[in-house]
Amino acid sequence: MAIWNLGSINADMVYALPHLPVAGETLAATGLDQFLGGKGANMSVAAARAGSTVHHIGAVGPEGSWAVQRLMEYGVDTRHIATLDLPTGHAIIAVDSAGENQIILFPGANHAISSNQIGQALSEAASGDTLVLQNETNQQPEAVEMAQKLGLKVAYAAAPFEAEAVQAVLPFLDLLFLNAVEAEQLQQAIGKAPQDLGVADVIVTLGSKGARHFDGSTGNTTDVPALPVTPVDTTGAGDTFTGYVLSGLDRGLPMAQAMAQAARAGALMVTRHGTADVIPDLKEVQEARF
Ligand code: RIB
């Protein structure tokens, strides 16, 4: 089967800082690097590096051909990435000495994707394929409706978190990814805990405590532990986890195994500086010693 990703593509400008800036503070960076990023691009690269067939649906500006080229080099099908007359999305990312981050997003072309473009892409999808989305593009409700009609499974990573955005797609979801803070925010907004959302599978990531799967059909929960690593940069680790879970499921792994493999990928990722360009491949993930 294949994974279709309606996802953001960003240029990540990553600034190394002694600490995250507070309001009104001017702070000199100790380093600057540029990476391919965007939650969407990161997930596409992760799933492709995990061995899946991945089709990215997205948009860049006229100066964004480098990002498309890089996605292609990482094994992602880029035929459904439009070049629009808007700037490519970018992210200003501050990373402190403990690996924590703060991100400012400029959506650019990520917010100008047309429903026609999505329809054309998904017309090539097969029933049983998966569509994944995050909250960094426009057209989310239109895309999930199309995907459900075509018999695709629909997965959603609720980041950056907006309760209204989750609610708009919730009735169409087969799989929902949240972190612990997002799960709490969603519960406050709609009064439902993860197991009561009516979604077949909900995964809540818990940082250094691992991740929890809520099985909507049995009511069972399964915990997958995190691996012991010292983080240098947590940016993109959640996207890597999500991409690896989707790829594992797409290739027939049971949920617990897909999550365990994804936890290894996420753990490796936090030991690296950068985003899409440094996502580990399956061989690295399987051979890693923790
Ligand atoms: O999750 C990390 C990502 O968030 C970065 O790559 C950045 O582009 C933002 O989308």
Side-chain angles (χ1 to χ4, degrees):
M1 307 309 298
I3 296 170
W4 298 79
N5 183 359
L6 172 60
S8 54
I9 300 170
N10 291 336
D12 283 355
M13 310 298 295
V14 183
Y15 297 85
L17 293 167
H19 60 264
L20 298 179
V22 296
E25 183 176 12
T26 301
L27 195 55
T30 56
L32 168 62
D33 286 302
Q34 181 174 337
F35 297 95
L36 171 65
K39 295 184 196 306
N42 296 341
M43 285 179 204
S44 279
V45 171
R49 287 196 158 165
S52 287
T53 298
V54 181
H55 308 274
H56 195 98
I57 308 168
V60 294
E63 82 301 9
S65 55
W66 66 271
V68 179
Q69 180 65 33
R70 226 177 269 185
L71 278 166
M72 200 188 307
E73 283 162 13
Y74 297 149
V76 175
D77 171 24
T78 58
R79 290 174 302 125
H80 299 290
I81 299 174
T83 301
L84 305 178
D85 202 12
L86 284 167
T88 304
H90 73 256
I92 307 285
I93 304 179
V95 178
D96 73 10
S97 51
E100 288 301 329
N101 65 34
Q102 246 174 25
I103 303 180
I104 298 170
L105 275 181
F106 174 76
N110 294 313
H111 274 193
I113 298 166
S114 72
S115 75
N116 200 23
Q117 182 191 341
I118 298 168
Q120 276 179 6
L122 293 184
S123 69
E124 293 179 15
S127 172
D129 284 356
T130 299
L131 173 72
V132 61
L133 314 85
Q134 322 76 32
N135 189 25
E136 286 189 351
T137 68
N138 63 329
Q139 299 287 357
Q140 296 165 42
E142 294 82 355
V144 293
E145 197 172 338
M146 277 186 223
Q148 195 183 60
K149 278 191 188 136
L150 291 166
L152 274 70
K153 287 174 261 176
V154 181
Y156 189 71
F161 184 80
E162 277 178 295
E164 304 76 39
V166 186
Q167 282 176 272
V169 298
L170 199 56
F172 299 91
L173 302 186
D174 300 288
L175 174 54
L176 173 62
F177 293 87
L178 298 158
N179 65 29
V181 175
E182 292 159 355
E184 182 59 39
Q185 287 174 319
L186 187 61
Q187 184 158 357
Q188 273 177 17
I190 65 173
K192 288 185 180 171
Q195 62 273 25
D196 301 324
L197 292 171
V199 178
D201 293 292
V202 179
I203 293 175
V204 178
T205 55
L206 306 165
S208 61
K209 295 198 185 110
R212 177 166 295 166
H213 170 231
F214 298 88
D215 184 327
S217 50
T218 63
N220 293 339
T221 61
T222 310
D223 287 343
V224 172
L227 284 306
V229 285
T230 304
V232 299
D233 182 359
T234 56
T235 320
D239 308 333
T240 301
F241 176 86
T242 302
Y244 261 82
V245 169
L246 292 172
S247 173
L249 296 176
D250 181 61
R251 291 181 306 110
L253 291 185
M255 179 62 86
Q257 272 181 43
M259 285 175 66
Q261 187 153 270
R264 295 174 65 83
L268 257 186
M269 188 63 183
V270 301
T271 65
R272 299 175 176 188
H273 290 282
T275 37
D277 303 293
V278 301
I279 292 173
D281 66 23
L282 189 55
K283 188 164 178 283
E284 292 175 285
V285 168
Q286 288 176 338
E287 290 177 354
R289 295 278 166 269
F290 292 100

